Each structure stands twice: as structure tokens, then as C-alpha cells.
Amino acid sequence: MIRQILFLLLLGFISADVKAQDPIFSQFYSSPLMLNPAFAGNTYAPRIAFNYRSQYPNWADGTTAYATYAASYEQFIEDFNSGFGLMLKSDDAGGGLYKMTKFNADYAYRVQVNRDFNLKFGVEAGFRQFNIDWDRLIFFDQLDELTGAVDQAGNPNPTNEVRPENLNKTYFDVGAGILAYGPMFYGGVSLKHLTRPDESILGINGGLNEGLAMRISVHGGAQLTVKEGNNRTPAAFISPNLLYIKQGDQGQLNVGAYASMGVVFAGGWYRHAFSNPDAAIILVGVKKDIFKIGYSYDFTVSQLQTQASSGTNGAHEISLVLNFDQSEAFKRRRFNGRYNDCFQIFR
């Protein structure tokens, strides 16, 4: 009971002055638009991806603490030398206590410096909306030493907190990024929330609210070919990679590698937060024709693991990618053999 109350209180703090952190998929390769808009258009044919993440299942009241959904579409158009993308993302914290939905469009322009070196400049723009289920929040003045947030009859204790007129907010959001790459290495930087939008719903700070913290991402990796592929057999390769993210006072560093061995792929990463170790991540998946399905699990290695009950810590993640580059029609047009980059991990 105490654990659930503390969890709800923690989420309650965001109601007065929302300072949410962006959700990040462990399978970042399957949702590159979340990482950097410059990734838009890594395939000549349409690429469609679906992602789901469940973090800390059954943490409070039998609900998932954080559930994130995303769907995206992207494609490179040669006539414009540009990549285009669309993404719809939804994040649910506390089983509906706090919900965020975002839709954005992405555009990336490619500059070929020479045969083996390219730059892509990306921008994104869209709308972000959040809402709060006020009736499920628990405040300090509702807590009783013996009965918690309810009285002896099980009725919620009263609170002096005033319910806001509006419990949701929609605002415009923009981001940008740059990507440099060649046949073996890639690296990029992206900035999200460039306008620092104000997420406060009470408006009691007299315009002093700092707004949503800008998110800075630095990422890079390589593609080391183990075995060349052909139209029938995909190439085997290893992709070591690194991801550094900072948003406000929070941040993380992911280090690991992805290995593709024909039909099967796997990977492992270690994630470290700024002040403590966070998680060890394992990945397994299969790729056949246009379909690519992956499953990953985050093993919590911080002190949170010892405080969580069995089955509540860690995070499950599933991705489904439909890459029409791998369809027979596009293979006959030899689109899949025209890449001179190291982005197979993202395809």
C-alpha cells in the first residue's frame, strides 16, 4: 500500500508543473525517427514500423508503470534527394494517470560529399498533447498514518488542492538533427523540443516556467561485415554502437552491439544513468522477407531491483518492421543493392 501511494505521489508532482522526460526505446534501431529526424528515409521503398514498450509491469494497482506505443512510416525519394517520415507516438504513465500523444512529420536532405561520405540534415515538426487523470491523484493532505489515502470506510480522504480548469494541453513542437555516414561508420547529433514548450497546466509561475527541457542526443556506430549477402541471403554483420542522451538533469549512456546472422539477429547493451547503473539489455529477433520482428528485455541493475517485487521490475519491448525494400518487386529493381552506407541495422 505504501509503495503504491508513493508511486502515485511521484506522478502527482507532475500535475502542477509537468517536466516529463521523453521515452526512449531500447530497440532504438527499429524507431530511428525517435532518435534523429536526419534518419528519415533510410530505404528507397516504404518502411513501416510498430513499437511497444512495457516498463515495470504490475508496479502499482496491477497496472504497467510506463507503456509506450509508436508507429512510423518513412521512405527516401530520389527525385528530391530527400527522406520523408511520419510518426505517431503515445506514452502512458501510471495506467492512465498521465498520457502523452505526439504526431510529427520528418524531413531529411542528403548531401553527398564524395562517394564514401554523406551528410543528412533533418528537421521535424508536429503537435504534442498530454492529459492528466486528476481524480486518481493522491496528495499529501489526503494521507492518514493508519488508513493511507482513504478513511476507515474506504472512501477517499478530502484534499484542499484545487482542480485545474484544463487537464490537457496541446502545443507545437520542433526538432532538428544532422547525420554523417559512410560505408563503415555513422555519427549524428539531434536536438528535440527546440522551442522549450510550456507544459504547465496551473499557470501559477507568472511566465517563469522554463518549459520542456531540450533533449540532446549523440549517437554513432559501425557496420563490420562478417559475410557478404546476395538477393537470396542477407549479409551477416556486427554493429557496435553508442547512444548518449541528456534532457534536463536526466540522461543515459547506452553501449553495446547488434549482430545480424542471416535470418536471425541478436544484441546486447548496457545502459548507465548519470548517477547510477540502470539496465542490461538483451535482444533476439528474426528477419524474413519484408518482416523483421524483435523482442528485448531490460534487466534492472540499479537499487530499484531490490525494492521491486517479483515480476514488476525490468521492461519488455517488441518491434515489428515492414521493409518493402525486401519485397520481390523491389529486389528485381535492385534497390537493395544500391546502398553505400552502414545502416543495415536500421533496415
Side-chain angles (χ1 to χ4, degrees):
M1 178 66 180
I2 294 177
R3 187 188 68 188
Q4 295 176 359
I5 290 176
L6 291 176
F7 175 75
L8 295 178
L9 279 170
L10 177 63
L11 292 176
F13 286 131
I14 66 176
S15 64
D17 189 8
V18 177
K19 299 269 187 199
Q21 303 295 320
D22 290 351
I24 304 295
F25 286 122
S26 294
Q27 297 182 46
F28 64 92
Y29 68 87
S30 65
S31 186
L33 296 183
M34 282 187 65
L35 187 61
N36 189 337
F39 276 117
N42 283 327
T43 57
Y44 289 106
R47 179 188 181 278
I48 301 172
F50 303 93
N51 303 82
Y52 170 70
R53 177 179 176 84
S54 174
Q55 185 170 355
Y56 307 145
N58 301 319
W59 181 264
D61 296 332
T63 63
T64 295
Y66 301 98
T68 306
Y69 311 80
S72 61
Y73 165 90
E74 58 175 302
Q75 183 177 2
F76 192 84
I77 307 297
E78 280 193 292
D79 291 343
F80 299 99
N81 196 39
S82 303
F84 300 86
L86 298 172
M87 169 166 276
L88 178 64
K89 178 177 64 178
S90 177
D91 191 48
D92 186 332
L97 268 178
Y98 173 86
K99 290 184 178 181
M100 184 278 295
T101 302
K102 181 180 181 180
F103 173 79
N104 58 270
D106 296 73
Y107 170 77
Y109 184 78
R110 181 180 65 183
V111 177
Q112 188 172 11
V113 180
N114 56 49
R115 185 181 182 276
D116 292 330
F117 184 69
N118 296 269
L119 294 172
K120 285 180 74 176
F121 300 90
V123 293
E124 71 173 25
F127 291 92
R128 177 174 167 131
Q129 181 189 66
F130 72 87
N131 60 76
I132 297 171
D133 188 349
W134 183 270
D135 295 330
R136 293 180 57 201
L137 296 179
I138 297 175
F139 299 95
F140 281 112
D141 61 354
Q142 290 180 271
L143 297 180
D144 181 270
E145 293 182 356
L146 298 178
T147 61
V150 298
D151 59 23
Q152 294 182 351
N155 300 312
N157 292 327
T159 176
N160 292 320
E161 296 291 337
V162 179
R163 182 189 182 97
E165 293 183 4
N166 296 314
L167 294 174
N168 60 75
K169 194 168 187 177
T170 302
Y171 53 83
F172 185 65
D173 195 20
V174 296
I178 184 173
L179 193 61
Y181 62 94
M184 291 186 63
F185 302 96
Y186 76 89
V189 178
S190 69
L191 301 174
K192 302 274 189 172
H193 319 306
L194 288 173
T195 56
R196 301 291 303 273
D198 181 5
E199 289 196 315
S200 173
I201 61 173
L202 293 183
I204 60 177
N205 293 327
L208 298 178
N209 190 288
E210 296 179 355
L212 180 61
M214 186 184 302
R215 193 186 92 193
I216 303 172
S217 302
V218 180
H219 40 273
Q223 182 174 302
L224 309 176
T225 301
V226 177
K227 182 180 179 181
E228 296 289 346
N230 52 50
N231 285 338
R232 293 185 177 181
T233 306
F237 65 90
I238 298 174
S239 177
N241 42 73
L242 177 147
L243 171 61
Y244 170 83
I245 296 177
K246 183 179 186 300
Q247 186 173 13
D249 296 330
Q250 306 298 317
Q252 63 183 50
L253 175 66
N254 289 37
V255 180
Y258 171 106
S260 178
M261 299 154 285
V263 177
V264 179
F265 61 90
W269 291 267
Y270 169 71
R271 183 171 62 233
H272 191 88
F274 279 5
S275 57
N276 58 271
D278 185 11
I281 305 165
I282 61 168
L283 159 75
V284 293
V286 295
K287 182 168 62 173
K288 180 66 173 177
D289 298 327
I290 68 171
F291 298 99
K292 184 177 181 180
I293 302 173
Y295 168 78
S296 63
Y297 183 77
D298 296 13
F299 291 91
T300 303
V301 296
S302 67
Q303 294 183 358
L304 184 62
Q305 180 188 27
T306 61
Q307 299 175 12
S309 61
S310 175
T312 62
N313 58 337
H316 303 272
E317 198 169 300
I318 299 173
S319 66
L320 170 63
V321 176
L322 283 68
N323 180 7
F324 289 92
D325 257 1
Q326 298 301 316
S327 67
E328 291 299 324
F330 276 84
K331 282 183 178 181
R332 287 194 295 268
R333 296 170 63 180
R334 298 183 180 178
F335 274 120
N336 64 326
R338 296 172 56 187
Y339 298 112
N340 188 32
D341 58 35
C342 55
F343 290 152
Q344 283 300 320
I345 182 177
F346 299 102
R347 299 188 181 109

